[in-house]
Amino acid sequence: SSVAFQTQEVLFCVCVAMETEWRADTGRLSLFRRALSTLLLARRVHVGVRTLERDLEENPEPDEDTKDARWEELHRANAKATYAHIIKYKGFLAKVGQGLSARDGGIPQPYREEMRALQDHLPISPQKEVQGVVRADLGRPLADIFQEFDFKPLASATVGQAHRAVVRSTGQKVCVKVQHKGVAQMMNVDLRCVEYIAKQALKRHKEVPDVTPVIREWRRASREEVDFTLEAHSARRAVAALEAKGIDVAVPRPVDGLCGRKVLTMDFIEGWKITEVHRMPPGTDVAALARNLLEAFAVLTFHEGLIHGDPHPGNIFAEVAPDGHVRPVLLDWGITKELTADERLNTARWVIASMSHDRNLFMTAGNALGYKTTEHFETDALEDWMTGSMFLFRDSLPSSAQTYLFGVLGQQGEEARKREKEEEQKRLREEEEEKVKLKGKKGTGGCVLCGASPKKKEPKKALESIPGVLLFLTRALSMLQGLCSSLNVTISFAEPMLRHALSLVAGKSVPTLARSISSQGGFSLHAAVLSKLEALQRSRGMVGAQIAVLRDTEVQDTWACNVAFGNAGLSADGVLDGTLMPLLDVSNVVLIACLFVALERPSSVGAWVGLDTPVWQVWPEFAQHGKQGVTIRQLLEHTALLARPFPRKKMNAKRFCNEKRMEETMALAPQDTDCANLACPLLGVAAAALLRRVTGHRTTAEAVRATLEPLDLHRDIAFSLPPEDEARMAWVIRKPIEGLPLPKLFEYLETHKNKAMEKRDGVEPPEWLSWHELEGCCPASTDPLLPNRPELRDGSACAAGRGLRASARALCQLLRRGAGASEAAVARGRKLQVLSMEEWEHSGRCLEVGIGWQLFKFRRLAAKAGAKDAFVMGHGHVDGATGSMAVRLPGISIAILLNGVPSLDADVQHVGFDLMGIVAQHLGLEPVWHLDVPPVPARAPRRQGKVDEELDLRSTLRRLEQNLEQMAQNMQSLSQGFPSAGGMAAGDAPLSGDQARSLDLLGCWQSAEVEGLEALLDLFKVPEALHFLAKQAKRTLLVEGGLGAQLSLSSTTTMAGRTVEESMLVFEPGTPFQGQQQLGGAFTGCARWASSAGGEHALVLEKRFTLDGRELVVEETFAVGLDGRLEVAAACRGLQLPDGERVAEPCECVTTFDRQGPKPGASSRGPAFVRSSSSSNGGVPRLRGQGSGTRWKERSTSRFRQFSDAVLALATALPFCMASCKASSCAGRRVAARKEAPQQSADSLLKPPPAG
């Protein structure tokens, strides 16, 4: 009976919500009852979800539909209870409901559906209460102020309700917002309840962050929201800011003299909710309305310091402007966040950091805004928080596409949770086994001393508190994403937010042009370099550069070029000739040069140290793991077998910035015989460790300074500078991503997923990693923005191998003065190997090395082919991330230093190569070292560590179970699939040979599985996240035929109840024919009977298409096996990859079909199956047989366009989907730039591509 009563109460509240008056009881007992009811509701929702989770874990549902139905039922019941509670108690809880209704795709659908009515439908205040509030707040009776006043509210919101009225004195039509009685007290109680729930969660779950600052911010905003004078002030600021910037977004202007703390009078808006698209005039550009809204949001946030904290659809209208065009209107400025100048600046930096994946800037800006992190945040949570922040600025998606996106992300999260659960279960089993072994030592526990059980692994808490500023920003962005999703528009969120954030951050910096300090005899070189830098500034945006070319002769050294250009950072001043640029891998130039200088002097160990001295004699710890025989020469020549020196479980960014810890890492690294010709990624660390010990200094910074001081270069080459000179140090800049459409988002997530070194299928990742494996395991360690870390800039830490800074002039002078010792060390070179194009790019495309140096090959332009002096060798180092390089040629020193790295969505762009080509051309040379392209794959194959036998056995058993289930289904189909004796009607003539062969094919077939599709998807470089799409397409074949030799083949491919490819072909084996197909267009074909590989009769169907001037041949072989299943083997010749490369071998895949319904027999009365002339299931064709009808059943699993024929669709549809695929590298030219994917809505992806 109690359940029935609760159900009736919920239904009653839902049905009469619009007729309920606002009855506020603010007595102590009423407020206590309100708080208790809220807490009980929270407990009900929490207990229900946890109970169902445990039930599904203990008794998993075999059918996903049943599992989804159980969740749907629970969410629906909780959503109804929540809605009824909000309608009953109103207040701040209504804000929660409105927020839930605006988050399309982020929460379960029942909550969004139930809460949608809260956007503008809440209980109303009675007429007497409205009159009393107006008289008390404005000091006059309502009738004296307004000539007309409609007491039926236009809409009711959380705090008040809006009425249409006409001002008596002016006749102006206005909207009057009147506050509900007692709303302030109730909102305070609601927020205290939420704060209590948050504290309880923090108490019981150590990993939960402290959201007290967030709730404190909400309490502040709530106090301001019930003071309408503050809302009027915010509205006036918004009107002024938008008009000043020319943004086509309206804001109701408050009427002076008619506004108080509880009454707000504004201009009346003759409009409608922006989500009511059907009310828009014909030709209205809805996407333009959404773009204007986002532009207004960015302007107000960064330039006015005003964040609208409640942009749900109920607060955003559309109106017809005086000139006839439609524009959006922003209502309800009660919940706003005013930002101080510092908060605006740090919010802009946070946005830039999110889109450029700048870890240091993200942490710095977040901490300035109020993030309080623990020591575990950077290692355990930073990557996830940055990815989540970037996700906020994704391009908006239509509702169906956004639902699919959240579904895919949820599926990936579920897989990750399953892996974590398996790992936790294994750990607990190991602890139990350990307890059993130790049991009886003392007590009943596992400890031999006290009998205590092993401690349960406590979750690490990464975040202490979240800043309220970012709460408002992220909440508003999420609501705007949901609004655009409801409007079914696709717009870029990143572009306007970044544009205004960058203008704010860069506002204090001084744009600089190129500066030429001296260019004796090289004015044309200076002009060419300047022209190239200006072109780069226009195309790439933020870039800072120094280019220096020093000619040395016996008489006098001259500067052939000395140019400084661009900015030293986002908000820094311009690059000068004395600016110290970050060197990254070019730091090896300084360390190797200093080491050679030190080896010419007596060492601190009391003896001369040479290249053939064993390393352990200078560095005793290095002798571990059998490295006693390694000499300094072998270490510098990359022959010490140390290409994988990074321990997977110990590496992080902080360790990389600790020179002592990195020396320990190098000393502990084992030799790997598989790395005989691979580069050692810790060459700089090794050189720094040797330099420090040979010179006898405590730190590498001291050793470098002592070596450079006699050369007077210590002020221009250093790891850090004193605080008064900090402005001389440039920053590494990564260009932010200016847009994040769905394909790019999937590619980004897929790239990080592929690089992540995680345990899969029972196989452990390797214990010792190479540089690129470390990039997947600990990307912060390999981040080219590492020199931006505060501890490296202030000198409290030192990244010995990558943390040096220098000016281009100083590097040229260092190469000049150490030329003798260095050139002797590069007399003989050797060529290294790489395992992937990524490693080749990282090496600067230079694989030839000497003792400590990279060797660069140049060709003399004036030399004849085959001449002995046709080539010149230089030595130095290049950084693959920025393109910086320092090269010493006979008589010439060249330094090209850059501080910009490509954005995450761009191909590697070695700007340094372009600049080096210009410099070399003016010197009569041409760089050719990068033309020798290694024949390696784009990404190195994944290495495996030890195999977890238990997980490996478990996965094997799962596959065996699936095979047994498939065999059982096959046996069942065998027992039901053979034709009965009555398969041929009485009086029918005997079948001919062709008719007998075709009889097995007749009927309706539904695709079940595809073999070989994975290889095709990998061939076309389709991201793994999109593999799910291709695998879920459903294809139905209908084969019809009578007594004649003619056959009819109908093929239909569907996705989510939508037909994406449908074709019908009537042909006679042995006779040529023509046809048309939605995917591929027109074709010519022929069919013949043959024998399949298993000996069964098979129908071979060959189709020839002409696509973009090339012929594409698709051959399909139809054969019914002994198990009664139809196999269609498709082979395709003439395929072309997205980068234009043709596929040499035929691509093949096999689709297996299951028969739908009983097997038909041939009859003189016509085909055994006919297509129904009408369809009653939403446009999906219905098939019926002679005896009993069978409905074509489909399961909707995705929202995107799918591939029909596994081969043909790849050939025709992938260029459409994957227009942003990287073009393959080829010898003699640069890696082609990524093609920009066309901007289009996801609904357009649901449509089949055009023919051809």
Side-chain angles (χ1 to χ4, degrees):
S1 60
S2 61
V3 173
F5 175 77
Q6 292 176 4
T7 304
Q8 292 174 5
E9 183 182 13
V10 170
L11 294 176
F12 175 78
C13 291
V14 173
C15 294
V16 304
M18 285 305 299
E19 304 300 329
T20 304
E21 290 187 349
W22 182 280
R23 294 170 183 166
D25 191 348
T26 55
R28 292 186 177 181
L29 182 60
S30 298
L31 294 178
F32 173 77
R33 187 182 299 114
R34 175 191 187 89
L36 180 61
S37 179
T38 300
L39 297 176
L40 290 177
L41 174 65
R43 182 180 182 277
R44 167 185 169 173
V45 174
H46 170 73
V47 171
V49 172
R50 292 297 297 270
T51 301
L52 183 54
E53 284 180 346
R54 287 194 295 267
D55 187 28
L56 291 176
E57 289 178 1
E58 297 172 359
N59 306 296
E61 292 287 352
D63 185 8
E64 286 294 326
D65 290 340
T66 304
K67 179 180 176 181
D68 294 342
R70 294 185 63 182
W71 279 113
E72 171 78 15
E73 181 182 4
L74 176 65
H75 291 322
R76 182 68 63 181
N78 287 337
K80 287 183 177 294
T82 304
Y83 180 82
H85 183 81
I86 292 174
I87 290 298
K88 182 177 181 180
Y89 291 105
K90 302 170 282 291
F92 174 76
L93 301 176
K95 288 290 181 186
V96 177
Q98 291 172 345
L100 295 178
S101 69
R103 292 180 61 86
D104 277 357
I107 63 169
Q109 182 69 19
Y111 283 94
R112 301 200 301 273
E113 294 174 352
E114 296 294 333
M115 304 301 158
R116 200 156 287 159
L118 295 174
Q119 290 178 5
D120 56 358
H121 299 310
L122 283 174
I124 62 176
S125 297
Q127 177 177 341
K128 290 184 179 180
E129 185 175 303
V130 172
Q131 291 174 330
V133 171
V134 172
R135 183 184 184 96
D137 200 46
L138 300 183
R140 289 182 290 169
L142 184 147
D144 293 347
I145 302 173
F146 301 105
Q147 180 180 349
E148 298 178 12
F149 194 95
D150 188 355
F151 285 99
K152 183 178 180 180
L154 298 169
S156 179
T158 309
V159 177
Q161 59 193 39
H163 298 265
R164 181 188 289 107
V166 176
V167 180
R168 181 174 295 278
S169 58
T170 63
Q172 179 184 0
K173 192 174 183 180
V174 295
C175 177
V176 183
K177 183 177 178 181
V178 182
Q179 190 175 123
H180 293 308
K181 179 183 176 181
V183 68
Q185 295 93 321
M186 290 186 294
M187 292 183 73
N188 186 47
V189 169
D190 293 338
L191 283 165
R192 287 181 180 272
C193 289
V194 175
E195 185 175 5
Y196 174 80
I197 294 172
K199 289 182 178 179
Q200 292 301 312
L202 182 64
K203 182 179 179 181
R204 289 171 169 76
H205 304 279
K206 301 299 183 184
E207 72 278 9
V208 173
D210 182 11
V211 295
T212 303
V214 174
I215 300 172
R216 190 181 303 117
E217 189 65 35
W218 270 112
R219 294 180 69 175
R220 179 205 61 78
S222 299
R223 287 194 298 269
E224 293 181 358
E225 188 179 14
V226 296
D227 186 352
F228 286 174
T229 59
L230 297 177
E231 180 176 350
H233 174 67
S234 297
R236 291 188 182 97
R237 286 183 59 189
V239 170
L242 295 178
E243 289 180 352
K245 293 291 183 178
I247 309 298
D248 192 20
V249 175
V251 174
R253 191 186 301 270
V255 178
D256 294 335
L258 297 181
C259 297
R261 293 181 60 87
K262 296 184 179 181
V263 177
L264 176 62
T265 306
M266 304 166 289
D267 294 341
F268 188 83
I269 301 297
E270 295 281 359
W272 58 92
K273 286 174 59 177
I274 196 170
T275 51
E276 297 174 349
V277 182
H278 62 279
R279 298 182 61 178
M280 302 280 186
T284 301
D285 189 350
V286 181
L289 300 181
R291 282 192 292 270
N292 288 340
L293 272 175
L294 192 58
E295 186 76 15
F297 181 81
V299 166
L300 293 173
T301 299
F302 297 118
H303 298 287
E304 189 64 23
L306 192 66
I307 300 178
H308 191 301
D310 207 20
H312 62 81
N315 283 339
I316 302 178
F317 271 45
E319 70 165 0
V320 179
D323 60 357
H325 77 281
V326 179
R327 64 181 178 183
V329 183
L330 272 173
L331 308 175
D332 194 355
W333 291 85
I335 295 185
T336 57
K337 172 63 179 176
E338 294 190 16
L339 307 181
T340 64
D342 288 340
E343 285 176 336
R344 286 194 296 124
L345 183 61
N346 286 305
T347 301
R349 288 172 174 168
W350 184 84
V351 172
I352 296 169
S354 299
M355 297 308 293
S356 61
H357 217 72
D358 188 334
R359 296 170 178 83
N360 173 69
L361 187 60
F362 187 89
M363 292 279 291
T364 303
N367 291 336
L369 288 172
Y371 270 126
K372 293 183 180 179
T373 60
T374 67
E375 58 181 349
H376 305 293
F377 180 80
E378 185 174 359
T379 56
D380 297 343
L382 178 59
E383 293 299 319
D384 292 337
W385 276 83
M386 293 196 68
T387 302
S389 301
M390 181 185 292
F391 188 75
L392 282 172
F393 301 99
R394 69 191 183 276
D395 291 5
S396 64
L397 297 172
S399 181
S400 58
Q402 182 153 294
T403 301
Y404 165 75
L405 172 62
F406 281 106
V408 171
L409 296 178
Q411 184 182 23
Q412 293 179 354
E414 185 68 24
E415 293 174 356
R417 284 190 291 272
K418 287 181 179 178
R419 288 195 298 268
E420 292 176 359
K421 182 180 178 182
E422 290 178 350
E423 291 292 328
E424 181 66 16
Q425 291 175 346
K426 180 189 174 185
R427 188 185 66 82
L428 293 176
R429 284 194 298 270
E430 291 176 350
E431 290 182 356
E432 284 295 327
E433 293 174 358
E434 189 68 19
K435 287 168 62 178
V436 171
K437 291 179 182 178
L438 299 176
K439 190 175 181 180
K441 298 287 184 180
K442 184 175 182 179
T444 59
C447 179
V448 295
L449 297 178
C450 62
S453 301
K455 289 185 178 181
K456 184 178 179 180
K457 185 179 180 181
E458 292 291 339
K460 296 179 181 179
K461 184 176 181 179
L463 195 62
E464 292 284 356
S465 64
I466 304 171
V469 175
L470 294 184
L471 162 75
F472 269 79
L473 180 68
T474 56
R475 180 178 186 268
L477 286 172
S478 299
M479 283 189 169
L480 290 174
Q481 284 278 3
L483 174 67
C484 294
S485 177
S486 300
L487 294 175
N488 285 320
V489 297
T490 299
I491 64 172
S492 172
F493 270 57
E495 190 276 328
M497 295 295 291
L498 278 173
R499 176 160 37 84
H500 291 287
L502 286 170
S503 67
L504 175 63
V505 171
K508 298 180 180 180
S509 64
V510 180
T512 60
L513 299 177
R515 298 175 175 85
S516 176
I517 308 305
S518 177
S519 55
Q520 295 95 326
F523 181 78
S524 61
L525 174 58
H526 164 71
V529 169
L530 173 60
S531 176
K532 182 63 178 179
L533 288 173
E534 290 176 342
L536 289 171
Q537 182 77 8
R538 290 190 296 269
S539 61
R540 290 189 47 167
M542 299 168 295
V543 62
Q546 287 180 344
I547 297 93
V549 180
L550 178 64
R551 288 181 180 270
D552 51 272
T553 62
E554 296 180 357
V555 179
Q556 182 183 5
D557 295 346
T558 58
W559 292 102
C561 182
N562 187 11
V563 174
F565 179 88
N567 286 352
L570 288 176
S571 56
D573 292 333
V575 175
L576 305 174
D577 64 308
T579 301
L580 270 58
M581 304 290 284
L583 300 183
L584 294 171
D585 282 346
V586 184
S587 300
N588 292 334
V589 170
V590 179
L591 296 171
I592 296 298
C594 290
L595 179 60
F596 282 141
V597 172
L599 292 179
E600 295 176 347
R601 307 168 183 171
S603 69
S604 63
V605 297
W608 287 91
V609 176
L611 292 175
D612 295 320
T613 302
V615 176
W616 69 268
Q617 292 187 8
V618 182
W619 182 4
E621 297 85 356
F622 187 81
Q624 301 178 71
H625 297 290
K627 300 195 294 291
Q628 299 90 338
V630 176
T631 65
I632 295 177
R633 182 190 302 274
Q634 290 174 327
L635 191 58
L636 299 182
E637 283 183 336
H638 301 278
T639 57
L641 307 179
L642 294 175
R644 292 166 182 150
F646 303 106
R648 175 174 57 88
K649 297 182 180 179
K650 295 182 179 181
M651 289 305 302
N652 54 58
K654 291 182 179 180
R655 186 183 185 93
F656 215 90
C657 296
N658 188 319
E659 60 176 315
K660 300 293 180 63
R661 300 290 297 276
M662 288 305 296
E663 288 179 6
E664 295 174 4
T665 299
M666 187 81 177
L668 290 171
Q671 291 180 300
D672 191 339
T673 55
D674 295 335
C675 305
N677 292 317
L678 301 181
C680 174
L682 289 182
L683 176 65
V685 174
L690 291 172
L691 175 64
R692 186 171 68 84
R693 286 167 171 80
V694 169
T695 57
H697 288 89
R698 185 176 60 88
T699 65
T700 304
E702 294 175 358
V704 170
R705 179 181 179 86
T707 306
L708 297 177
E709 200 162 8
L711 305 177
D712 197 25
L713 296 176
H714 60 286
R715 299 182 189 87
D716 295 321
I717 302 177
F719 284 97
S720 62
L721 293 177
E724 59 271 16
D725 293 333
E726 198 270 342
R728 287 183 59 200
M729 295 187 291
W731 301 78
V732 186
I733 307 172
R734 178 185 282 131
K735 184 179 179 181
I737 299 176
E738 296 182 353
L740 201 61
L742 186 62
K744 191 180 294 183
L745 176 64
F746 271 131
E747 185 177 351
Y748 169 78
L749 296 174
E750 188 64 27
T751 300
H752 282 259
K753 179 181 177 183
N754 288 337
K755 288 183 177 180
M757 301 294 294
E758 57 186 14
K759 186 173 182 178
R760 298 179 184 173
D761 298 328
V763 180
E764 288 275 4
E767 291 297 326
W768 293 89
L769 309 177
S770 65
W771 178 264
H772 286 279
E773 290 170 340
L774 178 66
E775 186 179 8
C777 177
C778 182
S781 298
T782 62
D783 190 356
L785 275 62
L786 186 75
N788 293 345
R789 292 178 68 94
E791 61 267 33
L792 296 183
R793 291 181 64 88
D794 62 23
S796 59
C798 176
R802 288 166 61 84
L804 273 164
R805 308 166 195 274
S807 66
R809 289 169 57 93
L811 279 184
C812 287
Q813 292 170 344
L814 178 63
L815 288 172
R816 163 71 175 92
R817 298 184 185 185
S822 300
E823 290 173 0
V826 298
R828 291 185 304 171
R830 58 186 295 268
K831 189 172 183 179
L832 297 176
Q833 294 179 349
V834 290
L835 301 179
S836 67
M837 297 301 294
E838 286 182 342
E839 296 181 10
W840 184 60
E841 295 285 359
H842 177 72
S843 69
R845 306 178 186 175
C846 180
L847 299 181
E848 194 164 356
V849 296
I851 304 177
W853 299 101
Q854 287 181 290
L855 304 184
F856 302 93
K857 190 175 183 180
F858 291 81
R859 183 178 66 85
R860 296 184 189 273
L861 296 177
K864 297 181 180 180
K868 292 183 179 180
D869 60 346
F871 295 96
V872 179
M873 295 299 296
H875 66 273
H877 277 280
V878 61
D879 177 66
T882 60
S884 298
M885 61 180 70
V887 179
R888 173 66 185 179
L889 291 166
I892 301 174
S893 299
I894 305 172
I896 299 173
L897 302 183
L898 305 163
N899 69 339
V901 297
S903 61
L904 295 178
D905 63 337
D907 289 323
V908 176
Q909 299 175 1
H910 288 289
V911 179
F913 284 129
D914 298 337
L915 294 171
M916 176 58 79
I918 294 173
V919 172
Q921 183 179 9
H922 283 75
L923 298 176
L925 302 173
E926 177 189 9
V928 295
W929 73 82
H930 60 288
L931 300 182
D932 188 9
V933 183
V936 292
R939 186 173 291 129
R942 182 183 178 87
R943 288 195 307 125
Q944 295 182 349
K946 64 180 182 179
V947 177
D948 187 330
E949 297 181 358
E950 180 181 349
L951 289 180
D952 187 51
L953 177 60
R954 194 177 303 153
S955 61
T956 303
L957 290 175
R958 279 200 298 264
R959 289 193 296 269
L960 179 60
E961 182 180 351
Q962 294 172 357
N963 293 339
L964 290 175
E965 183 179 355
Q966 187 63 48
M967 290 175 62
Q969 294 176 358
N970 294 344
M971 293 295 293
Q972 184 177 3
S973 64
L974 279 172
S975 63
Q976 299 177 356
F978 287 112
S980 62
M984 185 179 295
D988 287 343
L991 299 177
S992 66
D994 286 350
Q995 293 168 355
R997 285 191 289 266
S998 66
L999 181 59
D1000 287 340
L1001 295 176
L1002 297 182
C1004 182
W1005 304 88
Q1006 179 74 47
S1007 62
E1009 56 194 48
V1010 182
E1011 179 182 351
L1013 180 59
E1014 192 77 25
L1016 285 173
L1017 297 173
D1018 291 339
L1019 176 66
F1020 278 85
K1021 301 180 179 66
V1022 179
E1024 188 176 339
L1026 295 179
H1027 287 202
F1028 176 76
L1029 300 176
K1031 294 175 183 177
Q1032 299 304 315
K1034 294 296 182 182
R1035 186 183 181 193
T1036 300
L1037 295 178
L1038 177 61
V1039 185
E1040 304 169 332
L1043 282 178
Q1046 193 176 70
L1047 291 175
S1048 173
L1049 177 63
S1050 300
S1051 173
T1052 306
T1053 304
T1054 58
M1055 174 50 54
R1058 184 191 292 260
T1059 300
V1060 296
E1061 186 272 334
E1062 187 171 18
S1063 63
M1064 183 174 180
L1065 190 62
V1066 179
F1067 61 91
E1068 183 176 339
T1071 304
F1073 57 87
Q1074 295 181 347
Q1076 182 79 18
Q1077 200 165 285
Q1078 281 178 288
L1079 293 180
F1083 63 87
T1084 59
C1086 63
R1088 67 181 187 278
W1089 293 104
S1091 296
S1092 66
E1096 302 89 356
H1097 293 298
L1099 176 65
V1100 180
L1101 186 62
E1102 184 180 281
K1103 304 176 186 177
R1104 295 180 178 270
F1105 299 84
T1106 301
L1107 300 176
D1108 299 330
R1110 57 187 175 84
E1111 185 179 58
L1112 179 68
V1113 181
V1114 178
E1115 185 178 275
E1116 293 181 299
T1117 303
F1118 300 78
V1120 179
L1122 295 177
D1123 57 358
R1125 308 180 83 192
L1126 172 64
E1127 288 190 354
V1128 180
C1132 191
R1133 298 188 298 274
L1135 279 180
Q1136 182 170 302
L1137 297 178
D1139 58 6
E1141 181 182 353
R1142 294 183 69 85
V1143 181
E1145 298 296 328
C1147 297
E1148 299 181 355
C1149 69
V1150 178
T1151 307
T1152 303
F1153 291 79
D1154 291 329
R1155 188 185 295 278
Q1156 302 295 296
K1159 178 180 176 180
S1163 170
S1164 60
R1165 290 182 293 274
F1169 277 72
V1170 295
R1171 189 181 304 273
S1172 174
S1173 59
S1174 63
S1175 175
S1176 61
N1177 61 337
V1180 179
R1182 183 176 180 178
L1183 308 176
R1184 56 183 174 83
Q1186 285 182 330
S1188 60
T1190 58
R1191 182 179 297 274
W1192 177 30
K1193 299 180 179 179
E1194 291 186 3
R1195 181 179 178 183
S1196 174
T1197 57
S1198 176
R1199 299 286 184 183
F1200 280 103
R1201 173 182 56 83
Q1202 286 297 339
F1203 310 115
S1204 59
D1205 184 301
V1207 177
L1208 181 58
L1210 283 172
T1212 59
L1214 275 181
F1216 175 73
C1217 280
M1218 301 303 297
S1220 60
C1221 281
K1222 293 182 179 178
S1224 61
S1225 301
C1226 57
R1229 62 178 178 88
R1230 298 179 59 207
V1231 178
R1234 183 188 310 275
K1235 300 176 182 177
E1236 291 294 334
Q1239 297 291 332
Q1240 51 196 328
S1241 66
D1243 275 0
S1244 67
L1245 295 178
L1246 289 166
K1247 302 176 183 179

